[in-house]
Amino acid sequence: MKPSAFSGQSVTSYVEGPPRHVPGFYGLQRMTTMLLAERVPATGRVLVLGAGGGLELKAFAEAHPEWSFDGVDPSGDMLRLAEQTVGPFAERMRLHQGYIANAPEGPFDAATSLLTFHFIPRDQRLETLRQVRRRLKAGAPFVVAHISFAQTEPERSTWIARHVAFGAPEGTDAAQLESSRQAIGGKLSILAPEEEEEMLRDAGFSGVSLFYAGFSFKGWVAYAG
């Protein structure tokens, strides 16, 4: 999940980051909203895991004026930013500081986790998915999107370099790029796409389907079995 390291200046600049780093960021939000709307009723309740910053909360709330939301994030600073971002939609949201274990029990009509799972250590991934599944109504959609690419070499190193190059500001020097590559490779929990899909099925989701592929990012929709 977006860790508590998101604080201070990193919080202030967060809302500018995803549109620059994630190919088709606003399209990803729109696609996610559409996939949820296929099954979420007009007055549905949606769980948003990794809600800090509030960008997806705002997008969902704008599109569906009667949906309500529970957002979870470990960073208090990021949740305060989310409160500012969502503005007049705040009355339809409850924000919870912590991890999936701190989320309400539900049952929810849907859940999302955008740009979050690559922060969750591999050994916590399956249990996190199981806890999301446990909070969903049968057949409810779960939309997840994050960094995912092959973990064999040389593909892994190639994709890390591509990921860093895509998000780097023009003029970034070679030393900074190398530092970013080392950070991505050492600090993030990145799985191959086939591992992601297997883990979703192991957690109790069915109908796992890839709906988004933007360079180093992948997105899936799956349904609570």
Side-chain angles (χ1 to χ4, degrees):
M1 185 176 296
K2 301 181 183 82
S4 56
F6 280 92
S7 59
Q9 183 59 37
S10 65
V11 168
T12 303
S13 61
Y14 176 79
V15 294
E16 302 172 1
R20 185 177 76 244
H21 292 282
V22 183
F25 175 73
Y26 295 110
L28 172 60
Q29 289 188 333
R30 182 168 179 243
M31 287 184 281
T32 299
T33 306
M34 293 174 64
L35 291 167
L36 298 183
E38 290 176 350
R39 300 202 182 190
V40 176
T43 57
R45 185 181 178 197
V46 179
L47 172 65
V48 178
L49 181 62
L55 295 174
E56 59 261 51
L57 283 171
K58 183 180 180 183
F60 301 156
E62 284 179 333
H64 292 276
E66 294 185 82
W67 285 3
S68 62
F69 306 89
D70 282 86
V72 184
D73 198 283
S75 169
D77 287 341
M78 290 293 285
L79 290 176
R80 283 185 284 275
L81 177 61
E83 290 177 344
Q84 299 172 28
T85 301
V86 301
F89 305 115
E91 63 182 15
R92 289 193 276 135
M93 302 178 188
R94 295 188 301 168
L95 301 179
H96 313 271
Q97 185 171 357
Y99 299 89
I100 185 60
N102 305 106
E105 289 298 309
F108 291 92
D109 296 292
T112 69
S113 188
L114 303 184
L115 313 182
T116 294
F117 262 71
H118 48 242
F119 292 117
I120 301 176
R122 183 191 181 95
D123 62 1
Q124 298 175 25
R125 289 277 198 100
L126 183 56
E127 178 58 22
T128 299
L129 289 170
R130 284 173 172 161
Q131 290 212 36
V132 172
R133 163 62 191 90
R134 185 168 60 80
R135 288 167 167 80
L136 292 175
K137 296 177 181 178
F142 174 46
V143 177
V144 59
H146 47 261
I147 301 169
S148 176
F149 46 73
Q151 294 302 292
T152 53
E153 292 293 0
E155 292 86 359
R156 182 176 186 273
S157 294
T158 298
W159 274 109
I160 289 174
R162 289 168 175 168
H163 175 87
V164 169
F166 184 87
E170 187 175 351
T172 302
D173 64 38
Q176 289 176 299
L177 291 173
E178 177 58 26
S179 177
S180 295
R181 287 192 289 268
Q182 293 295 327
I184 293 292
K187 295 181 180 179
L188 296 188
S189 176
I190 303 172
L191 277 62
E194 56 269 22
E195 294 178 283
E196 303 276 8
E197 295 181 8
E198 181 179 4
M199 200 170 285
L200 282 163
R201 288 189 287 267
D202 288 346
F205 291 96
S206 61
V208 179
S209 181
L210 181 73
F211 75 93
Y212 163 80
F215 217 42
S216 52
F217 293 87
K218 305 288 186 298
W220 292 268
V221 60
Y223 302 91

